[in-house]
Amino acid sequence: MKYFGNLKVASKLALGFGVLLALLIASSSLAIYQSGQIQRQTDLQTRNNQQVKQLYAMRKVNFTNERMLRDVILSGSGNLASMVANVQAGRSEYAKAKAALDAIPTDAEGQNVRDQIEAMRGPAVAVHDRIIELVRRGDGAGAKALLFGEGQASMTAREKAVVEAIALQEEHNAASAAAVEHALASTRNVLISFALLAVAIGVLMAWAITRSLVGPLRKAMDVSRAIADGRFDVVSGARSRDETGQLL
């Protein structure tokens, strides 16, 4: 406090504003950093939602093709050409969704799930082609047995893999949402703390500066009154080295 009292008035004001400016810069830097963290988590959520969208599209095609194969068996070879065309269209739609999914970056766990889905696709397509071929030959019973046997097993395995992939992305979404909530709460608390600290320091600095100016000025007024009364033995008692101290 003695050091502060010896500072020039301009230095005291500069010190006070400097401390407040430092707090402002610190709080702004924190807000910018946390904003970047929130943006990163938001981008992750957007990417996860895009992956979930494509996974649901792939899942829909799997169900649709399964239903179409049942229709092929029930209708026989009469409508086989149109049914096969529908199955091929579904495969093209699946391929588009898969390409869109592969274009989205993912982590090692997500890539492993994608690889599992792709590994099951080849055998499932092969079973579907065999079912179509059996129907073309007129072997509806064989096609039905294959569909509800090996075909059903491959469909269940693919469905399980896709559901696991969707669950993984939803889990990542929940983690990102929690991270965003934590970042917002942390930023809010720290900014409030900085604001309260700035107010406290501002009040303290204002009190200290006012005290360092008003006290010596009062003494100067007392000395001037004593001199006006003809008393020249009054001691100012000035201890500070600032402008008011030099005046006394």
Side-chain angles (χ1 to χ4, degrees), residues 23 51-52 76 106 161 165 194 210 231:
L23 288 173
Q51 293 184 72
V52 169
T106 187
F194 269 117
T210 302
R231 291 183 287 113

Side-chain angles (χ1 to χ4, degrees), residues 9 21 36-37 43 60 93 104 108 128 131 161 163 177 181 184 235:
V9 174
L21 181 61
Q37 293 293 99
D43 291 341
K60 178 182 177 181
E93 186 179 346
I104 303 172
H128 292 175
I131 291 172
V163 168
E181 193 66 29
L184 288 173
V235 180

Side-chain angles (χ1 to χ4, degrees), residues 122-177:
V125 170
V127 170
H128 292 175
D129 289 341
R130 286 164 55 194
I131 291 172
I132 293 172
E133 183 59 29
L134 288 173
V135 173
R136 181 177 285 111
R137 295 177 181 179
D139 188 1
K144 184 177 181 180
L146 183 57
L147 175 63
F148 291 104
E150 189 177 347
Q152 187 64 46
S154 66
M155 177 65 184
T156 301
R158 291 178 73 187
E159 170 67 7
K160 180 181 178 182
V162 173
V163 168
E164 288 177 354
I166 293 173
L168 177 63
Q169 299 309 319
E170 291 178 343
E171 180 182 334
H172 288 173
N173 259 353
S176 295

